[in-house]
Amino acid sequence: MEVEHNPVVDNETRRSFGYRLARLASMWRREIDADLRVFGLTDATWRPIYYLNFSSSSMRQTDLARSLSLEAPSLVRLLDVLEKRGYVVRETDEEDRRSKLVSITSEGRQVAALVSRVADQVTARLMAGVSDPELEQCCGILDRVEQAAQAHKDSVDAEKRDAR
């Protein structure tokens, strides 16, 4: 039996997908943020630590700013705070002396472990009504959308290179 598609409904669903995805990501971050406030961490302070913890080596300050969708001056002020707390260190990049490399410290890794535990608790709470097969299907869809976005970015980047 073939499923009937309603083009109006399909179009509305597709149109709202990105908006809903962005709204969910924002809500999810707010949930984690609310749970971390009891530990004196805010969205601004825990996110860089969380990102740096996944990096196997130092990260350029500009790359970290891009990953966090922050302007460079805002990140500099934030890193000043995190460095004073002993969570990160900054060093001059030997390959590009104008750049700074940011690394997480062992104390920062302890904070990152706390953030991970809280994020896992939030995930469990928010995903309680989602079955494993539903989650697998959703992740498959998100993978395909991400691959399409990456393919488009790669295509645009290639066009820019060719135009030079």
Side-chain angles (χ1 to χ4, degrees), residues 23-38 41 43 46 115 118-119 121-123 125-126:
R23 190 179 71 198
L24 176 60
S26 178
M27 291 171 69
W28 203 298
R29 257 183 41 203
R30 278 196 305 270
E31 288 285 319
I32 294 170
D33 188 49
D35 288 10
L36 284 170
R37 285 198 183 270
V38 298
L41 296 168
D43 185 65
W46 67 260
V115 171
V118 169
Q121 291 167 356
V122 168
T123 298
R125 183 171 70 232
L126 298 181

mmCIF file with all atom_site columns, all heavy atoms in Angstrom, residues 23-38 41 43 46 115 118-119 121-123 125-126:
data_model
loop_
_atom_site.group_PDB
_atom_site.id
_atom_site.type_symbol
_atom_site.label_atom_id
_atom_site.label_alt_id
_atom_site.label_comp_id
_atom_site.label_asym_id
_atom_site.label_entity_id
_atom_site.label_seq_id
_atom_site.pdbx_PDB_ins_code
_atom_site.Cartn_x
_atom_site.Cartn_y
_atom_site.Cartn_z
_atom_site.occupancy
_atom_site.B_iso_or_equiv
_atom_site.pdbx_formal_charge
_atom_site.auth_seq_id
_atom_site.auth_comp_id
_atom_site.auth_asym_id
_atom_site.auth_atom_id
_atom_site.pdbx_PDB_model_num
ATOM 1   N N   . ARG A 1 23  ? 15.220 25.552 17.182 1.00 0.00 ? 23  ARG A N   1
ATOM 2   C CA  . ARG A 1 23  ? 14.509 25.837 18.432 1.00 0.00 ? 23  ARG A CA  1
ATOM 3   C C   . ARG A 1 23  ? 14.767 24.740 19.465 1.00 0.00 ? 23  ARG A C   1
ATOM 4   O O   . ARG A 1 23  ? 15.006 25.013 20.644 1.00 0.00 ? 23  ARG A O   1
ATOM 5   C CB  . ARG A 1 23  ? 13.012 25.978 18.157 1.00 0.00 ? 23  ARG A CB  1
ATOM 6   C CG  . ARG A 1 23  ? 12.238 26.507 19.365 1.00 0.00 ? 23  ARG A CG  1
ATOM 7   C CD  . ARG A 1 23  ? 10.787 26.648 19.067 1.00 0.00 ? 23  ARG A CD  1
ATOM 8   N NE  . ARG A 1 23  ? 10.234 25.294 18.968 1.00 0.00 ? 23  ARG A NE  1
ATOM 9   C CZ  . ARG A 1 23  ? 9.095  24.984 18.401 1.00 0.00 ? 23  ARG A CZ  1
ATOM 10  N NH1 . ARG A 1 23  ? 8.366  25.915 17.847 1.00 0.00 ? 23  ARG A NH1 1
ATOM 11  N NH2 . ARG A 1 23  ? 8.665  23.755 18.362 1.00 0.00 ? 23  ARG A NH2 1
ATOM 12  N N   . LEU A 1 24  ? 14.756 23.480 19.028 1.00 0.00 ? 24  LEU A N   1
ATOM 13  C CA  . LEU A 1 24  ? 15.029 22.366 19.935 1.00 0.00 ? 24  LEU A CA  1
ATOM 14  C C   . LEU A 1 24  ? 16.453 22.445 20.485 1.00 0.00 ? 24  LEU A C   1
ATOM 15  O O   . LEU A 1 24  ? 16.672 22.241 21.683 1.00 0.00 ? 24  LEU A O   1
ATOM 16  C CB  . LEU A 1 24  ? 14.798 21.029 19.230 1.00 0.00 ? 24  LEU A CB  1
ATOM 17  C CG  . LEU A 1 24  ? 15.149 19.787 20.045 1.00 0.00 ? 24  LEU A CG  1
ATOM 18  C CD1 . LEU A 1 24  ? 14.321 19.720 21.325 1.00 0.00 ? 24  LEU A CD1 1
ATOM 19  C CD2 . LEU A 1 24  ? 14.952 18.531 19.207 1.00 0.00 ? 24  LEU A CD2 1
ATOM 20  N N   . ALA A 1 25  ? 17.411 22.746 19.619 1.00 0.00 ? 25  ALA A N   1
ATOM 21  C CA  . ALA A 1 25  ? 18.805 22.859 20.076 1.00 0.00 ? 25  ALA A CA  1
ATOM 22  C C   . ALA A 1 25  ? 18.926 23.947 21.140 1.00 0.00 ? 25  ALA A C   1
ATOM 23  O O   . ALA A 1 25  ? 19.604 23.765 22.159 1.00 0.00 ? 25  ALA A O   1
ATOM 24  C CB  . ALA A 1 25  ? 19.724 23.154 18.898 1.00 0.00 ? 25  ALA A CB  1
ATOM 25  N N   . SER A 1 26  ? 18.254 25.049 20.924 1.00 0.00 ? 26  SER A N   1
ATOM 26  C CA  . SER A 1 26  ? 18.272 26.150 21.889 1.00 0.00 ? 26  SER A CA  1
ATOM 27  C C   . SER A 1 26  ? 17.620 25.732 23.205 1.00 0.00 ? 26  SER A C   1
ATOM 28  O O   . SER A 1 26  ? 18.161 26.005 24.296 1.00 0.00 ? 26  SER A O   1
ATOM 29  C CB  . SER A 1 26  ? 17.550 27.358 21.296 1.00 0.00 ? 26  SER A CB  1
ATOM 30  O OG  . SER A 1 26  ? 17.508 28.408 22.211 1.00 0.00 ? 26  SER A OG  1
ATOM 31  N N   . MET A 1 27  ? 16.482 25.068 23.133 1.00 0.00 ? 27  MET A N   1
ATOM 32  C CA  . MET A 1 27  ? 15.793 24.606 24.343 1.00 0.00 ? 27  MET A CA  1
ATOM 33  C C   . MET A 1 27  ? 16.661 23.593 25.105 1.00 0.00 ? 27  MET A C   1
ATOM 34  O O   . MET A 1 27  ? 16.738 23.632 26.333 1.00 0.00 ? 27  MET A O   1
ATOM 35  C CB  . MET A 1 27  ? 14.451 23.973 23.980 1.00 0.00 ? 27  MET A CB  1
ATOM 36  C CG  . MET A 1 27  ? 13.427 24.959 23.476 1.00 0.00 ? 27  MET A CG  1
ATOM 37  S SD  . MET A 1 27  ? 11.943 24.162 22.820 1.00 0.00 ? 27  MET A SD  1
ATOM 38  C CE  . MET A 1 27  ? 11.228 23.497 24.315 1.00 0.00 ? 27  MET A CE  1
ATOM 39  N N   . TRP A 1 28  ? 17.297 22.705 24.355 1.00 0.00 ? 28  TRP A N   1
ATOM 40  C CA  . TRP A 1 28  ? 18.143 21.671 24.962 1.00 0.00 ? 28  TRP A CA  1
ATOM 41  C C   . TRP A 1 28  ? 19.290 22.322 25.722 1.00 0.00 ? 28  TRP A C   1
ATOM 42  O O   . TRP A 1 28  ? 19.599 21.969 26.864 1.00 0.00 ? 28  TRP A O   1
ATOM 43  C CB  . TRP A 1 28  ? 18.689 20.757 23.859 1.00 0.00 ? 28  TRP A CB  1
ATOM 44  C CG  . TRP A 1 28  ? 19.100 19.393 24.298 1.00 0.00 ? 28  TRP A CG  1
ATOM 45  C CD1 . TRP A 1 28  ? 20.076 19.067 25.200 1.00 0.00 ? 28  TRP A CD1 1
ATOM 46  C CD2 . TRP A 1 28  ? 18.554 18.164 23.846 1.00 0.00 ? 28  TRP A CD2 1
ATOM 47  N NE1 . TRP A 1 28  ? 20.181 17.710 25.315 1.00 0.00 ? 28  TRP A NE1 1
ATOM 48  C CE2 . TRP A 1 28  ? 19.270 17.127 24.490 1.00 0.00 ? 28  TRP A CE2 1
ATOM 49  C CE3 . TRP A 1 28  ? 17.572 17.835 22.933 1.00 0.00 ? 28  TRP A CE3 1
ATOM 50  C CZ2 . TRP A 1 28  ? 19.001 15.784 24.259 1.00 0.00 ? 28  TRP A CZ2 1
ATOM 51  C CZ3 . TRP A 1 28  ? 17.308 16.495 22.700 1.00 0.00 ? 28  TRP A CZ3 1
ATOM 52  C CH2 . TRP A 1 28  ? 18.014 15.483 23.366 1.00 0.00 ? 28  TRP A CH2 1
ATOM 53  N N   . ARG A 1 29  ? 19.945 23.312 25.093 1.00 0.00 ? 29  ARG A N   1
ATOM 54  C CA  . ARG A 1 29  ? 21.035 24.034 25.751 1.00 0.00 ? 29  ARG A CA  1
ATOM 55  C C   . ARG A 1 29  ? 20.549 24.746 26.999 1.00 0.00 ? 29  ARG A C   1
ATOM 56  O O   . ARG A 1 29  ? 21.246 24.768 28.015 1.00 0.00 ? 29  ARG A O   1
ATOM 57  C CB  . ARG A 1 29  ? 21.637 25.058 24.779 1.00 0.00 ? 29  ARG A CB  1
ATOM 58  C CG  . ARG A 1 29  ? 22.931 24.608 24.210 1.00 0.00 ? 29  ARG A CG  1
ATOM 59  C CD  . ARG A 1 29  ? 23.607 25.567 23.309 1.00 0.00 ? 29  ARG A CD  1
ATOM 60  N NE  . ARG A 1 29  ? 23.589 26.957 23.703 1.00 0.00 ? 29  ARG A NE  1
ATOM 61  C CZ  . ARG A 1 29  ? 23.737 27.953 22.853 1.00 0.00 ? 29  ARG A CZ  1
ATOM 62  N NH1 . ARG A 1 29  ? 23.896 27.717 21.580 1.00 0.00 ? 29  ARG A NH1 1
ATOM 63  N NH2 . ARG A 1 29  ? 23.728 29.193 23.271 1.00 0.00 ? 29  ARG A NH2 1
ATOM 64  N N   . ARG A 1 30  ? 19.362 25.337 26.943 1.00 0.00 ? 30  ARG A N   1
ATOM 65  C CA  . ARG A 1 30  ? 18.812 26.028 28.115 1.00 0.00 ? 30  ARG A CA  1
ATOM 66  C C   . ARG A 1 30  ? 18.568 25.051 29.261 1.00 0.00 ? 30  ARG A C   1
ATOM 67  O O   . ARG A 1 30  ? 18.764 25.383 30.428 1.00 0.00 ? 30  ARG A O   1
ATOM 68  C CB  . ARG A 1 30  ? 17.527 26.781 27.753 1.00 0.00 ? 30  ARG A CB  1
ATOM 69  C CG  . ARG A 1 30  ? 17.801 28.126 27.112 1.00 0.00 ? 30  ARG A CG  1
ATOM 70  C CD  . ARG A 1 30  ? 16.576 29.022 27.099 1.00 0.00 ? 30  ARG A CD  1
ATOM 71  N NE  . ARG A 1 30  ? 15.402 28.445 26.485 1.00 0.00 ? 30  ARG A NE  1
ATOM 72  C CZ  . ARG A 1 30  ? 15.095 28.540 25.195 1.00 0.00 ? 30  ARG A CZ  1
ATOM 73  N NH1 . ARG A 1 30  ? 15.891 29.194 24.371 1.00 0.00 ? 30  ARG A NH1 1
ATOM 74  N NH2 . ARG A 1 30  ? 14.000 27.985 24.726 1.00 0.00 ? 30  ARG A NH2 1
ATOM 75  N N   . GLU A 1 31  ? 18.122 23.835 28.940 1.00 0.00 ? 31  GLU A N   1
ATOM 76  C CA  . GLU A 1 31  ? 17.917 22.807 29.972 1.00 0.00 ? 31  GLU A CA  1
ATOM 77  C C   . GLU A 1 31  ? 19.244 22.459 30.651 1.00 0.00 ? 31  GLU A C   1
ATOM 78  O O   . GLU A 1 31  ? 19.322 22.375 31.880 1.00 0.00 ? 31  GLU A O   1
ATOM 79  C CB  . GLU A 1 31  ? 17.307 21.539 29.365 1.00 0.00 ? 31  GLU A CB  1
ATOM 80  C CG  . GLU A 1 31  ? 15.861 21.673 28.963 1.00 0.00 ? 31  GLU A CG  1
ATOM 81  C CD  . GLU A 1 31  ? 14.924 21.650 30.158 1.00 0.00 ? 31  GLU A CD  1
ATOM 82  O OE1 . GLU A 1 31  ? 15.137 20.850 31.092 1.00 0.00 ? 31  GLU A OE1 1
ATOM 83  O OE2 . GLU A 1 31  ? 13.978 22.447 30.152 1.00 0.00 ? 31  GLU A OE2 1
ATOM 84  N N   . ILE A 1 32  ? 20.275 22.247 29.844 1.00 0.00 ? 32  ILE A N   1
ATOM 85  C CA  . ILE A 1 32  ? 21.601 21.933 30.401 1.00 0.00 ? 32  ILE A CA  1
ATOM 86  C C   . ILE A 1 32  ? 22.085 23.114 31.232 1.00 0.00 ? 32  ILE A C   1
ATOM 87  O O   . ILE A 1 32  ? 22.588 22.947 32.351 1.00 0.00 ? 32  ILE A O   1
ATOM 88  C CB  . ILE A 1 32  ? 22.601 21.585 29.270 1.00 0.00 ? 32  ILE A CB  1
ATOM 89  C CG1 . ILE A 1 32  ? 22.183 20.286 28.564 1.00 0.00 ? 32  ILE A CG1 1
ATOM 90  C CG2 . ILE A 1 32  ? 24.023 21.474 29.827 1.00 0.00 ? 32  ILE A CG2 1
ATOM 91  C CD1 . ILE A 1 32  ? 22.959 19.987 27.295 1.00 0.00 ? 32  ILE A CD1 1
ATOM 92  N N   . ASP A 1 33  ? 21.912 24.316 30.688 1.00 0.00 ? 33  ASP A N   1
ATOM 93  C CA  . ASP A 1 33  ? 22.340 25.531 31.379 1.00 0.00 ? 33  ASP A CA  1
ATOM 94  C C   . ASP A 1 33  ? 21.663 25.657 32.741 1.00 0.00 ? 33  ASP A C   1
ATOM 95  O O   . ASP A 1 33  ? 22.315 25.945 33.747 1.00 0.00 ? 33  ASP A O   1
ATOM 96  C CB  . ASP A 1 33  ? 22.028 26.743 30.503 1.00 0.00 ? 33  ASP A CB  1
ATOM 97  C CG  . ASP A 1 33  ? 22.613 28.025 31.048 1.00 0.00 ? 33  ASP A CG  1
ATOM 98  O OD1 . ASP A 1 33  ? 23.812 28.037 31.391 1.00 0.00 ? 33  ASP A OD1 1
ATOM 99  O OD2 . ASP A 1 33  ? 21.876 29.023 31.114 1.00 0.00 ? 33  ASP A OD2 1
ATOM 100 N N   . ALA A 1 34  ? 20.367 25.423 32.796 1.00 0.00 ? 34  ALA A N   1
ATOM 101 C CA  . ALA A 1 34  ? 19.620 25.531 34.057 1.00 0.00 ? 34  ALA A CA  1
ATOM 102 C C   . ALA A 1 34  ? 20.147 24.530 35.080 1.00 0.00 ? 34  ALA A C   1
ATOM 103 O O   . ALA A 1 34  ? 20.300 24.867 36.267 1.00 0.00 ? 34  ALA A O   1
ATOM 104 C CB  . ALA A 1 34  ? 18.133 25.312 33.805 1.00 0.00 ? 34  ALA A CB  1
ATOM 105 N N   . ASP A 1 35  ? 20.444 23.310 34.638 1.00 0.00 ? 35  ASP A N   1
ATOM 106 C CA  . ASP A 1 35  ? 20.942 22.288 35.562 1.00 0.00 ? 35  ASP A CA  1
ATOM 107 C C   . ASP A 1 35  ? 22.373 22.568 36.024 1.00 0.00 ? 35  ASP A C   1
ATOM 108 O O   . ASP A 1 35  ? 22.773 22.144 37.109 1.00 0.00 ? 35  ASP A O   1
ATOM 109 C CB  . ASP A 1 35  ? 20.857 20.905 34.918 1.00 0.00 ? 35  ASP A CB  1
ATOM 110 C CG  . ASP A 1 35  ? 19.427 20.382 34.808 1.00 0.00 ? 35  ASP A CG  1
ATOM 111 O OD1 . ASP A 1 35  ? 18.487 21.167 35.059 1.00 0.00 ? 35  ASP A OD1 1
ATOM 112 O OD2 . ASP A 1 35  ? 19.257 19.196 34.479 1.00 0.00 ? 35  ASP A OD2 1
ATOM 113 N N   . LEU A 1 36  ? 23.160 23.278 35.205 1.00 0.00 ? 36  LEU A N   1
ATOM 114 C CA  . LEU A 1 36  ? 24.549 23.561 35.566 1.00 0.00 ? 36  LEU A CA  1
ATOM 115 C C   . LEU A 1 36  ? 24.698 24.813 36.427 1.00 0.00 ? 36  LEU A C   1
ATOM 116 O O   . LEU A 1 36  ? 25.735 25.016 37.055 1.00 0.00 ? 36  LEU A O   1
ATOM 117 C CB  . LEU A 1 36  ? 25.414 23.698 34.306 1.00 0.00 ? 36  LEU A CB  1
ATOM 118 C CG  . LEU A 1 36  ? 25.771 22.382 33.632 1.00 0.00 ? 36  LEU A CG  1
ATOM 119 C CD1 . LEU A 1 36  ? 26.407 22.619 32.269 1.00 0.00 ? 36  LEU A CD1 1
ATOM 120 C CD2 . LEU A 1 36  ? 26.685 21.548 34.512 1.00 0.00 ? 36  LEU A CD2 1
ATOM 121 N N   . ARG A 1 37  ? 23.677 25.634 36.470 1.00 0.00 ? 37  ARG A N   1
ATOM 122 C CA  . ARG A 1 37  ? 23.757 26.876 37.268 1.00 0.00 ? 37  ARG A CA  1
ATOM 123 C C   . ARG A 1 37  ? 24.018 26.588 38.740 1.00 0.00 ? 37  ARG A C   1
ATOM 124 O O   . ARG A 1 37  ? 24.679 27.376 39.406 1.00 0.00 ? 37  ARG A O   1
ATOM 125 C CB  . ARG A 1 37  ? 22.502 27.706 37.095 1.00 0.00 ? 37  ARG A CB  1
ATOM 126 C CG  . ARG A 1 37  ? 22.492 28.400 35.754 1.00 0.00 ? 37  ARG A CG  1
ATOM 127 C CD  . ARG A 1 37  ? 21.522 29.552 35.702 1.00 0.00 ? 37  ARG A CD  1
ATOM 128 N NE  . ARG A 1 37  ? 21.530 30.104 34.359 1.00 0.00 ? 37  ARG A NE  1
ATOM 129 C CZ  . ARG A 1 37  ? 22.339 31.083 33.965 1.00 0.00 ? 37  ARG A CZ  1
ATOM 130 N NH1 . ARG A 1 37  ? 23.181 31.604 34.806 1.00 0.00 ? 37  ARG A NH1 1
ATOM 131 N NH2 . ARG A 1 37  ? 22.292 31.524 32.729 1.00 0.00 ? 37  ARG A NH2 1
ATOM 132 N N   . VAL A 1 38  ? 23.535 25.456 39.246 1.00 0.00 ? 38  VAL A N   1
ATOM 133 C CA  . VAL A 1 38  ? 23.783 25.117 40.663 1.00 0.00 ? 38  VAL A CA  1
ATOM 134 C C   . VAL A 1 38  ? 25.270 24.881 40.931 1.00 0.00 ? 38  VAL A C   1
ATOM 135 O O   . VAL A 1 38  ? 25.707 24.924 42.074 1.00 0.00 ? 38  VAL A O   1
ATOM 136 C CB  . VAL A 1 38  ? 22.947 23.896 41.130 1.00 0.00 ? 38  VAL A CB  1
ATOM 137 C CG1 . VAL A 1 38  ? 21.463 24.168 41.026 1.00 0.00 ? 38  VAL A CG1 1
ATOM 138 C CG2 . VAL A 1 38  ? 23.325 22.653 40.367 1.00 0.00 ? 38  VAL A CG2 1
ATOM 139 N N   . LEU A 1 41  ? 28.087 27.370 36.842 1.00 0.00 ? 41  LEU A N   1
ATOM 140 C CA  . LEU A 1 41  ? 28.437 27.420 35.426 1.00 0.00 ? 41  LEU A CA  1
ATOM 141 C C   . LEU A 1 41  ? 27.274 28.008 34.636 1.00 0.00 ? 41  LEU A C   1
ATOM 142 O O   . LEU A 1 41  ? 26.117 27.729 34.922 1.00 0.00 ? 41  LEU A O   1
ATOM 143 C CB  . LEU A 1 41  ? 28.757 26.017 34.900 1.00 0.00 ? 41  LEU A CB  1
ATOM 144 C CG  . LEU A 1 41  ? 29.979 25.354 35.520 1.00 0.00 ? 41  LEU A CG  1
ATOM 145 C CD1 . LEU A 1 41  ? 30.028 23.879 35.134 1.00 0.00 ? 41  LEU A CD1 1
ATOM 146 C CD2 . LEU A 1 41  ? 31.252 26.050 35.080 1.00 0.00 ? 41  LEU A CD2 1
ATOM 147 N N   . ASP A 1 43  ? 25.906 29.091 30.470 1.00 0.00 ? 43  ASP A N   1
ATOM 148 C CA  . ASP A 1 43  ? 26.056 28.692 29.076 1.00 0.00 ? 43  ASP A CA  1
ATOM 149 C C   . ASP A 1 43  ? 27.378 29.206 28.509 1.00 0.00 ? 43  ASP A C   1
ATOM 150 O O   . ASP A 1 43  ? 28.094 28.490 27.817 1.00 0.00 ? 43  ASP A O   1
ATOM 151 C CB  . ASP A 1 43  ? 24.868 29.242 28.266 1.00 0.00 ? 43  ASP A CB  1
ATOM 152 C CG  . ASP A 1 43  ? 24.867 28.777 26.835 1.00 0.00 ? 43  ASP A CG  1
ATOM 153 O OD1 . ASP A 1 43  ? 24.711 27.565 26.603 1.00 0.00 ? 43  ASP A OD1 1
ATOM 154 O OD2 . ASP A 1 43  ? 25.035 29.622 25.942 1.00 0.00 ? 43  ASP A OD2 1
ATOM 155 N N   . TRP A 1 46  ? 30.342 26.977 30.346 1.00 0.00 ? 46  TRP A N   1
ATOM 156 C CA  . TRP A 1 46  ? 30.468 25.529 30.163 1.00 0.00 ? 46  TRP A CA  1
ATOM 157 C C   . TRP A 1 46  ? 30.666 25.119 28.712 1.00 0.00 ? 46  TRP A C   1
ATOM 158 O O   . TRP A 1 46  ? 31.337 24.119 28.438 1.00 0.00 ? 46  TRP A O   1
ATOM 159 C CB  . TRP A 1 46  ? 29.313 24.763 30.794 1.00 0.00 ? 46  TRP A CB  1
ATOM 160 C CG  . TRP A 1 46  ? 27.936 24.916 30.212 1.00 0.00 ? 46  TRP A CG  1
ATOM 161 C CD1 . TRP A 1 46  ? 26.933 25.707 30.691 1.00 0.00 ? 46  TRP A CD1 1
ATOM 162 C CD2 . TRP A 1 46  ? 27.382 24.230 29.081 1.00 0.00 ? 46  TRP A CD2 1
ATOM 163 N NE1 . TRP A 1 46  ? 25.799 25.564 29.927 1.00 0.00 ? 46  TRP A NE1 1
ATOM 164 C CE2 . TRP A 1 46  ? 26.048 24.666 28.927 1.00 0.00 ? 46  TRP A CE2 1
ATOM 165 C CE3 . TRP A 1 46  ? 27.877 23.289 28.170 1.00 0.00 ? 46  TRP A CE3 1
ATOM 166 C CZ2 . TRP A 1 46  ? 25.213 24.201 27.913 1.00 0.00 ? 46  TRP A CZ2 1
ATOM 167 C CZ3 . TRP A 1 46  ? 27.049 22.834 27.157 1.00 0.00 ? 46  TRP A CZ3 1
ATOM 168 C CH2 . TRP A 1 46  ? 25.731 23.288 27.041 1.00 0.00 ? 46  TRP A CH2 1
ATOM 169 N N   . VAL A 1 115 ? 29.947 18.553 33.224 1.00 0.00 ? 115 VAL A N   1
ATOM 170 C CA  . VAL A 1 115 ? 29.054 19.012 32.152 1.00 0.00 ? 115 VAL A CA  1
ATOM 171 C C   . VAL A 1 115 ? 28.503 17.807 31.385 1.00 0.00 ? 115 VAL A C   1
ATOM 172 O O   . VAL A 1 115 ? 27.306 17.751 31.093 1.00 0.00 ? 115 VAL A O   1
ATOM 173 C CB  . VAL A 1 115 ? 29.778 19.993 31.200 1.00 0.00 ? 115 VAL A CB  1
ATOM 174 C CG1 . VAL A 1 115 ? 28.920 20.303 29.977 1.00 0.00 ? 115 VAL A CG1 1
ATOM 175 C CG2 . VAL A 1 115 ? 30.146 21.283 31.931 1.00 0.00 ? 115 VAL A CG2 1
ATOM 176 N N   . VAL A 1 118 ? 25.813 16.046 33.473 1.00 0.00 ? 118 VAL A N   1
ATOM 177 C CA  . VAL A 1 118 ? 24.569 16.823 33.463 1.00 0.00 ? 118 VAL A CA  1
ATOM 178 C C   . VAL A 1 118 ? 23.900 16.741 32.091 1.00 0.00 ? 118 VAL A C   1
ATOM 179 O O   . VAL A 1 118 ? 22.684 16.551 31.994 1.00 0.00 ? 118 VAL A O   1
ATOM 180 C CB  . VAL A 1 118 ? 24.830 18.289 33.883 1.00 0.00 ? 118 VAL A CB  1
ATOM 181 C CG1 . VAL A 1 118 ? 23.618 19.167 33.620 1.00 0.00 ? 118 VAL A CG1 1
ATOM 182 C CG2 . VAL A 1 118 ? 25.225 18.346 35.357 1.00 0.00 ? 118 VAL A CG2 1
ATOM 183 N N   . ALA A 1 119 ? 24.684 16.847 31.026 1.00 0.00 ? 119 ALA A N   1
ATOM 184 C CA  . ALA A 1 119 ? 24.125 16.744 29.675 1.00 0.00 ? 119 ALA A CA  1
ATOM 185 C C   . ALA A 1 119 ? 23.490 15.377 29.458 1.00 0.00 ? 119 ALA A C   1
ATOM 186 O O   . ALA A 1 119 ? 22.419 15.266 28.839 1.00 0.00 ? 119 ALA A O   1
ATOM 187 C CB  . ALA A 1 119 ? 25.214 17.001 28.631 1.00 0.00 ? 119 ALA A CB  1
ATOM 188 N N   . GLN A 1 121 ? 22.141 13.524 31.807 1.00 0.00 ? 121 GLN A N   1
ATOM 189 C CA  . GLN A 1 121 ? 20.891 13.523 32.578 1.00 0.00 ? 121 GLN A CA  1
ATOM 190 C C   . GLN A 1 121 ? 19.789 14.272 31.834 1.00 0.00 ? 121 GLN A C   1
ATOM 191 O O   . GLN A 1 121 ? 18.639 13.820 31.796 1.00 0.00 ? 121 GLN A O   1
ATOM 192 C CB  . GLN A 1 121 ? 21.120 14.155 33.960 1.00 0.00 ? 121 GLN A CB  1
ATOM 193 C CG  . GLN A 1 121 ? 21.996 13.319 34.867 1.00 0.00 ? 121 GLN A CG  1
ATOM 194 C CD  . GLN A 1 121 ? 22.478 14.080 36.097 1.00 0.00 ? 121 GLN A CD  1
ATOM 195 O OE1 . GLN A 1 121 ? 22.228 15.267 36.252 1.00 0.00 ? 121 GLN A OE1 1
ATOM 196 N NE2 . GLN A 1 121 ? 23.196 13.389 36.972 1.00 0.00 ? 121 GLN A NE2 1
ATOM 197 N N   . VAL A 1 122 ? 20.137 15.398 31.243 1.00 0.00 ? 122 VAL A N   1
ATOM 198 C CA  . VAL A 1 122 ? 19.157 16.159 30.456 1.00 0.00 ? 122 VAL A CA  1
ATOM 199 C C   . VAL A 1 122 ? 18.705 15.331 29.261 1.00 0.00 ? 122 VAL A C   1
ATOM 200 O O   . VAL A 1 122 ? 17.510 15.255 28.958 1.00 0.00 ? 122 VAL A O   1
ATOM 201 C CB  . VAL A 1 122 ? 19.745 17.522 30.010 1.00 0.00 ? 122 VAL A CB  1
ATOM 202 C CG1 . VAL A 1 122 ? 18.862 18.192 28.962 1.00 0.00 ? 122 VAL A CG1 1
ATOM 203 C CG2 . VAL A 1 122 ? 19.939 18.428 31.215 1.00 0.00 ? 122 VAL A CG2 1
ATOM 204 N N   . THR A 1 123 ? 19.648 14.684 28.596 1.00 0.00 ? 123 THR A N   1
ATOM 205 C CA  . THR A 1 123 ? 19.308 13.842 27.450 1.00 0.00 ? 123 THR A CA  1
ATOM 206 C C   . THR A 1 123 ? 18.333 12.746 27.863 1.00 0.00 ? 123 THR A C   1
ATOM 207 O O   . THR A 1 123 ? 17.327 12.513 27.185 1.00 0.00 ? 123 THR A O   1
ATOM 208 C CB  . THR A 1 123 ? 20.577 13.234 26.836 1.00 0.00 ? 123 THR A CB  1
ATOM 209 O OG1 . THR A 1 123 ? 21.406 14.289 26.361 1.00 0.00 ? 123 THR A OG1 1
ATOM 210 C CG2 . THR A 1 123 ? 20.256 12.283 25.699 1.00 0.00 ? 123 THR A CG2 1
ATOM 211 N N   . ARG A 1 125 ? 16.284 12.716 30.358 1.00 0.00 ? 125 ARG A N   1
ATOM 212 C CA  . ARG A 1 125 ? 14.994 13.329 30.700 1.00 0.00 ? 125 ARG A CA  1
ATOM 213 C C   . ARG A 1 125 ? 14.210 13.707 29.439 1.00 0.00 ? 125 ARG A C   1
ATOM 214 O O   . ARG A 1 125 ? 13.022 13.417 29.335 1.00 0.00 ? 125 ARG A O   1
ATOM 215 C CB  . ARG A 1 125 ? 15.258 14.564 31.572 1.00 0.00 ? 125 ARG A CB  1
ATOM 216 C CG  . ARG A 1 125 ? 14.025 15.271 32.056 1.00 0.00 ? 125 ARG A CG  1
ATOM 217 C CD  . ARG A 1 125 ? 14.346 16.344 33.098 1.00 0.00 ? 125 ARG A CD  1
ATOM 218 N NE  . ARG A 1 125 ? 15.038 17.479 32.536 1.00 0.00 ? 125 ARG A NE  1
ATOM 219 C CZ  . ARG A 1 125 ? 16.180 17.997 33.012 1.00 0.00 ? 125 ARG A CZ  1
ATOM 220 N NH1 . ARG A 1 125 ? 16.768 17.466 34.058 1.00 0.00 ? 125 ARG A NH1 1
ATOM 221 N NH2 . ARG A 1 125 ? 16.720 19.046 32.453 1.00 0.00 ? 125 ARG A NH2 1
ATOM 222 N N   . LEU A 1 126 ? 14.881 14.322 28.483 1.00 0.00 ? 126 LEU A N   1
ATOM 223 C CA  . LEU A 1 126 ? 14.189 14.783 27.281 1.00 0.00 ? 126 LEU A CA  1
ATOM 224 C C   . LEU A 1 126 ? 13.859 13.650 26.307 1.00 0.00 ? 126 LEU A C   1
ATOM 225 O O   . LEU A 1 126 ? 12.910 13.755 25.530 1.00 0.00 ? 126 LEU A O   1
ATOM 226 C CB  . LEU A 1 126 ? 15.018 15.858 26.562 1.00 0.00 ? 126 LEU A CB  1
ATOM 227 C CG  . LEU A 1 126 ? 15.286 17.137 27.355 1.00 0.00 ? 126 LEU A CG  1
ATOM 228 C CD1 . LEU A 1 126 ? 16.101 18.112 26.518 1.00 0.00 ? 126 LEU A CD1 1
ATOM 229 C CD2 . LEU A 1 126 ? 13.992 17.775 27.832 1.00 0.00 ? 126 LEU A CD2 1
#
